[in-house]
Amino acid sequence: MNPADHVGTEPSDEEVILQALRILRARFQERDVFASPDSVKDYLRLQAQGLPYEVFAVMFLDSHRRLLAYEPLFRGTLSQTAVYPREILKRALAVNAAAVVLHHNHPSGVCEPSRSDELLTSTVKASLALVDIRVLDHIITSDFGALSMVERGLL
């Protein structure tokens, strides 16, 4: 094949990101997603990269901590999102999840959890515990980094 045939056919950044997400999703479906906490953070950062609004999503995991689904459940504004624990619980039961990782982004670039982030995490954890679904972590991402509430001792 002639190298000139590839001129102007380089994939866009969006196509590269989508391909990376497909690869990461396949890896998470094959093994325990917590084999590498940094890979989980990278995966979640890619999911919300560049968004100008907050998204609250959930990684639903099976009993071997393999990824069943990653689903953005709530969309908000630049600085807040309304999250309903009942809807998270309903979806977790529907996909037969044994555990979850909560995720939301901070478009401001600052990954520090707010007091409302901490309260929400506690509420969701208590709600899911009633039906034996564990909250393994709540990860906050931005275009510049990621914060694990477990690593911070907040969960």
Side-chain angles (χ1 to χ4, degrees):
M1 187 170 251
N2 184 346
D5 292 341
H6 294 289
V7 173
T9 61
E10 278 194 35
S12 69
D13 289 349
E14 185 69 23
E15 290 168 331
V16 171
I17 290 169
L18 290 173
Q19 181 64 24
L21 287 171
R22 280 192 289 275
I23 292 167
L24 288 169
R25 188 175 301 113
R27 287 183 180 173
F28 287 151
Q29 289 170 334
E30 295 170 2
R31 65 176 189 269
D32 178 344
V33 299
F34 286 97
S36 171
D38 286 336
S39 66
V40 175
K41 289 179 189 175
D42 290 343
Y43 175 77
L44 295 175
R45 279 186 62 212
L46 283 172
Q47 294 288 347
Q49 189 78 25
L51 294 177
Y53 51 85
E54 279 197 13
V55 170
F56 189 95
V58 180
M59 290 178 77
F60 297 100
L61 310 172
D62 69 12
S63 60
H64 298 286
R65 295 184 179 176
R66 291 177 300 217
L67 183 65
L68 296 169
Y70 171 87
E71 296 184 15
L73 297 177
F74 309 100
R75 178 180 167 167
T77 64
L78 176 64
S79 60
Q80 63 185 358
T81 303
V83 176
Y84 303 97
R86 172 187 171 94
E87 298 304 314
I88 297 169
L89 175 62
K90 283 172 42 179
R91 191 66 191 132
L93 290 171
V95 300
N96 201 29
V100 299
V101 174
L102 307 176
H103 168 235
H104 80 278
N105 66 314
H106 281 177
S108 68
V110 178
C111 291
E112 288 300 314
S114 66
R115 183 68 187 133
S116 63
D117 291 339
E118 293 176 27
L119 291 171
L120 172 65
T121 303
S122 295
T123 301
V124 172
K125 183 178 177 182
S127 300
L128 294 176
L130 294 171
V131 291
D132 296 322
I133 299 172
R134 292 187 59 211
V135 175
L136 300 177
D137 205 345
H138 183 164
I139 297 176
I140 301 170
T141 63
S142 75
D143 288 354
F144 311 106
L147 176 136
S148 160
M149 287 189 156
V150 166
E151 290 176 349
R152 271 288 178 91
L154 299 172
L155 185 67

